[in-house]
Amino acid sequence: MDEFSFIQSIQPKFYRQSSLIKGIQDDAAVFRAPASDIVTAVDTMVEGVHFTKDTMAPYHVGHRVLAANISDLAAMGSTPAYYLVSITIPSHWEEQELHDLYAGMDTLAAGYHMDLIGGDTVSGQELSVTVTVIGMVDKNKARYRSVAQPADVVFVTGTLGDSRGGLEWLLKEGENPDKETAFLVERHRMPLPRVSFAAGLSNLKRVALNDISDGIANEANEIAEASDVDLIIDADYLPYSDALMHVYPDRYKEWMLSGGEDFELLGTVPEKDWERVQQTAEQLKLRITRVGSVTSKRQAEASVYLQEHGQRKRLEKSGYTHLRSE
C-alpha cells in the first residue's frame, strides 16, 4: 500500500470534537477553542528501544504511545481533544499490523472523545511512532509542578511498579501468565491515564501534578525542583499491588520508586483540600494514598527525602532517563 492509500485507510469516518473546523482532508487541521487554554504534549516510541514484538502486539503499541501522551495532559488538568501521528514504517511491518496499531490508538481515543486530525508517514529502518496530543483546560486552570508549598500533602494514585513487573515477566517468561502476572502485563501494555481524576480536582485552587512516567523518584524531584521545596516521602505508605509483591518479593520496593511507566499521578495539595482529593478518587473507585508531605528546603537545593525505619535519606533521581549512557 502506498502512503496516500494508507492515509486514506486510517482517515476517521467522523469527528467527535465540535471545535474542529477542518480535519485530515487539507494541508493542516483547524480548530477553534475561544473559551479554553490549549495544552500540547508529544511522545515517541521506537521499536527496539521502547518495545519489541516479543513484549507487545501492534495494538498495544498504539494504545500505549497515546496513553503516555494523554497522561501528560491529565497531569496538566487538561481534557484530551485531538491527536496527530507521525510514523516511520519499516518493510518488515505488515499492513494489518499497522492497522492494528492505529486501532489501539483509536479505541483509547474514543474513550476520551479524541479525534485524529493529522500526521505524517515515511519509510525507514525501524518502526517509530510519534504522537502529539492537544487538550483543553479552562482559562488559567492548567496544573503546574511549580505550585507545591510547605505543609502540603503529597499523594499518589493507583499502585506503583506494576508496569516494570509486567515488563520483567514478558522479557523473562513471555507466555501463559497466571492471574497475578496477567495483571502486571496488562498494567504494562494497557495503562489507563487518570484524566477523570485530574478533572475532578478542577475546582481546587492549587494542585501540583506530575505523571509517573519515569518513576516516582524522578517525578517527586521534578516537583521539588520546580516548586523550590523539599518533599518527604514515607516508604511505608508507598502503594503496591499484591500481585507485584507476590511475584517479585525482592524487587517490588525498588520498582515502586524507579520502575516507571505506570502513568499514575503524583501530586501535592493543601491539607484543607486533601479530603476533597480523597472523595474524588472514591467516586472513581480509584485508589489514592497519602505518601508524604512538603517542607521548606533544608539546603540550597530542593530535594526529596525517603523516610524509612526512622531515618531519612535523600532520594536521588533514578529509573529510566532519556539519553543516559548506561
Side-chain angles (χ1 to χ4, degrees):
M1 180 180 290
D2 61 50
E3 176 186 0
F4 300 107
S5 298
F6 180 70
I7 292 172
Q8 184 69 30
S9 73
I10 63 170
Q11 183 171 314
K13 295 179 174 61
F14 62 92
Y15 292 107
R16 304 175 178 105
Q17 290 287 327
S18 60
S19 58
L20 186 66
I21 297 171
K22 175 63 70 172
I24 287 179
Q25 303 93 340
D26 219 309
D27 288 330
V30 180
F31 67 92
R32 181 179 296 142
S36 303
D37 289 337
I38 306 302
V39 182
T40 66
V42 62
D43 198 42
T44 300
M45 286 182 64
V46 180
E47 186 175 12
V49 177
H50 301 97
F51 71 92
T52 69
K53 288 186 178 180
D54 294 331
T55 61
M56 285 193 187
Y59 184 93
H60 301 138
V61 175
H63 174 105
R64 202 161 178 275
V65 68
L66 182 57
N69 280 275
I70 295 175
S71 185
D72 285 329
L73 294 182
M76 301 299 293
S78 172
T79 300
Y82 304 111
Y83 67 108
L84 301 93
V85 181
S86 180
I87 184 168
T88 302
I89 303 173
S91 58
H92 65 272
W93 273 69
E94 298 178 0
E95 181 182 332
Q96 184 57 52
E97 291 178 313
L98 296 173
H99 282 290
D100 290 345
L101 186 152
Y102 274 83
M105 287 188 281
D106 183 63
T107 301
L108 181 63
Y112 298 100
H113 305 288
M114 297 180 76
D115 286 320
L116 174 63
I117 60 170
D120 194 21
T121 306
V122 298
S123 59
Q125 296 300 310
E126 57 193 3
L127 186 82
S128 175
V129 186
T130 298
V131 174
T132 300
V133 290
I134 300 169
M136 301 180 192
V137 62
D138 290 344
K139 288 184 177 180
N140 301 314
K141 280 288 190 176
R143 302 304 188 182
Y144 303 120
R145 302 170 184 167
S146 57
V147 301
Q149 295 181 10
D152 280 359
V153 172
V154 179
F155 64 87
V156 67
T157 64
T159 52
L160 304 175
D162 296 328
S163 177
R164 181 63 181 84
L167 175 61
E168 183 76 5
W169 193 87
L170 286 166
L171 292 173
K172 298 292 179 62
E173 306 294 337
E175 296 180 359
N176 302 319
D178 59 19
K179 183 177 180 180
E180 288 185 324
T181 51
F183 168 80
L184 299 178
V185 168
E186 184 78 359
R187 289 274 284 158
H188 177 68
R189 287 175 167 172
M190 304 279 283
L192 294 176
R194 303 307 185 184
V195 173
S196 296
F197 170 76
L201 307 181
S202 62
N203 289 330
L204 298 184
K205 184 175 180 180
R206 183 172 58 80
V207 182
L209 293 175
N210 204 2
D211 89 304
I212 302 176
S213 55
D214 299 321
I216 192 174
N218 269 330
E219 323 307 350
N221 272 284
E222 288 180 344
I223 291 178
E225 292 167 2
S227 297
D228 202 31
V229 294
D230 285 353
L231 266 63
I232 311 298
I233 304 296
D234 193 322
D236 291 336
Y237 293 140
L238 288 173
Y240 56 87
S241 66
D242 290 339
L244 184 66
M245 188 266 289
H246 290 155
V247 178
Y248 296 106
D250 299 327
R251 304 297 302 275
Y252 77 96
K253 291 184 178 180
E254 170 194 349
W255 290 344
M256 279 194 296
L257 294 172
S258 59
E261 298 185 324
D262 288 308
F263 301 113
E264 296 291 348
L265 290 177
L266 172 70
T268 74
V269 69
E271 179 77 44
K272 65 181 180 61
D273 293 326
W274 170 233
E275 184 176 355
R276 172 63 184 276
V277 174
Q278 292 176 292
Q279 290 172 349
T280 300
E282 183 178 350
Q283 290 169 359
L284 296 169
K285 296 181 172 54
L286 173 64
R287 181 171 176 175
I288 189 84
T289 308
R290 181 173 181 160
V291 297
S293 60
V294 181
T295 67
S296 299
K297 291 189 303 181
R298 290 183 168 191
Q299 302 176 4
E301 294 184 357
S303 303
V304 178
Y305 295 91
L306 186 68
Q307 184 167 289
E308 190 173 19
H309 306 309
Q311 296 183 334
R312 289 181 181 177
K313 63 178 181 180
R314 187 167 179 174
L315 182 61
E316 304 288 352
K317 291 182 179 181
S318 60
Y320 183 77
T321 302
H322 296 277
L323 304 183
R324 194 170 58 185
S325 58
E326 64 265 28

